[in-house]
Amino acid sequence: MELTERQRRIVEIVRDNGPITGEHIADQLMLTRATLRPDLTILSMSGVLEARPRVGYSYREKRKQSPLAERMALLRVGDFKSVAAVVRDTASIYDAIVSLFTHNVGSLSIVNTDNMLTGIVSRKDLLKATLGKTDLHEVPVSVIMTRMPNIIVTRPDETVLEAVTKLVRHQVDALPVVEGFVDESGNEVFEVVGRFTKTIVAKLFAEIADPNF
Ligand code: ADP
C-alpha cells in the first residue's frame, strides 16, 4: 500500500514508541486525534499497525496483510463510482422525493445554479419532512438537507479503502464523488461527478470473493 507522508510519520512514531495511544501520536504530530483517525483506521485495516483497546497502536513486524484491504487499497473510486443523482437546491421536497424514485437511489446530492455541491438529502431526511406539517410542494429541499461544509465526499483518485473507511466512520450510505475547483472568491467548491455507495462496496466484496460473480 502506498502511504501518504503523514501515514509514514505515524508508522515511524509507532515503530519507535509503540505501543502508543492515538492521543500520544497526535501530540507528537501536533494534530488532533480526530484528524489522525482516518489515517489510523487505514493503517490498522491494512495491517501495518495493530490496534488494541486500552493499549494503543503497535507496529506489526511480521505484517499479516489483510488481502481484502490490500486489494481495496489498489482500487480507485473513479473506476467503481456510479452516476451522480443530483437535484437543484431550489427544487421542492416533493420533487426531491420523486427524484429519489426516478433515480432509484437512497440519497441525492443537492447543487446550486453553478452545479456545485451544497448539500445531501437521504431517504430518512425526506421521510422525516413528510411527518410534519411542512408543505412539501412549497418548501425547497435546501431547508432539510445536510449542508456543506458537513458533507463527506470522495474523489475519483481516492482509494476504495479510503472511501470505505469514510462510509463506515461517518455512518452514511453514500458519498458524492467530486472534483474540486477554486471559485472567484478563492473558496474550494465541488462538482459532483458520481456517487460511491455501500451497495458498490457490497458488489465489490462479492466480486473479490468470487471472480465469476
Ligand atoms: P438514511 O438517513 O436514509 O439512513 P444515510 O445514513 O446516508 O441515510 O444518512 C444519514 C444522515 O446523514 C442524513 O441526515 C443525511 O442527510 C446525512 N448524510 C448522508 N450522506 C452524507 C454525506 N456523504 N456527508 C454528510 N452527511 C451525509
Side-chain angles (χ1 to χ4, degrees), residues 26-210:
D27 285 348
Q28 291 211 23
L29 291 170
M30 290 193 289
L31 294 168
T32 64
R33 176 80 178 80
T35 310
L36 281 196
R37 198 166 291 130
D39 287 324
L40 289 170
T41 305
I42 287 168
L43 290 170
S44 308
M45 275 176 69
S46 55
V48 179
L49 301 184
E50 184 181 1
R52 266 178 298 163
R54 285 183 296 278
V55 176
Y57 294 89
S58 325
Y59 181 68
R60 280 186 200 256
E61 290 298 342
K62 281 206 194 93
R63 194 178 305 166
K64 216 168 68 207
Q65 279 274 23
S66 144
L68 190 60
E70 212 170 48
R71 284 284 295 278
M72 289 202 296
L74 291 173
L75 307 174
R76 302 281 157 181
V77 166
D79 296 325
F80 295 92
K81 67 179 165 59
S82 51
V83 291
V86 167
V87 163
R88 268 298 310 281
D89 48 10
T90 48
S92 67
I93 296 174
Y94 183 92
D95 287 340
I97 294 172
V98 172
S99 289
L100 203 70
F101 285 101
T102 52
H103 285 103
N104 195 19
V105 291
S107 62
L108 300 161
S109 291
I110 311 297
V111 296
N112 61 18
T113 31
D114 298 327
N115 246 341
M116 296 297 153
L117 181 68
T118 57
I120 195 161
V121 281
S122 71
R123 60 190 123 197
K124 257 187 251 156
D125 295 331
L126 293 166
L127 260 180
K128 199 157 88 190
T130 67
L131 290 179
K133 292 203 172 69
T134 313
D135 184 342
L136 303 179
H137 290 276
E138 286 301 322
V139 178
V141 69
S142 58
V143 171
I144 62 157
M145 71 187 185
T146 301
R147 55 188 62 244
M148 291 291 280
N150 298 324
I151 307 301
I152 314 301
V153 297
T154 180
R155 296 167 194 264
D157 61 354
E158 217 168 39
T159 68
V160 166
L161 182 59
E162 286 168 314
V164 171
T165 306
K166 285 181 181 177
L167 284 173
V168 174
R169 184 157 91 86
H170 297 281
Q171 299 180 7
V172 291
D173 290 350
L175 305 173
V177 181
V178 301
E179 302 271 12
F181 296 95
V182 176
D183 69 8
E184 309 91 65
S185 331
N187 299 318
E188 190 176 27
V189 290
F190 296 126
E191 183 188 357
V192 184
V193 296
R195 27 200 322 273
F196 187 82
T197 65
K198 285 186 176 168
T199 307
I200 294 173
V201 179
K203 232 164 86 190
L204 197 57
F205 196 84
E207 277 167 17
I208 290 174
D210 176 7

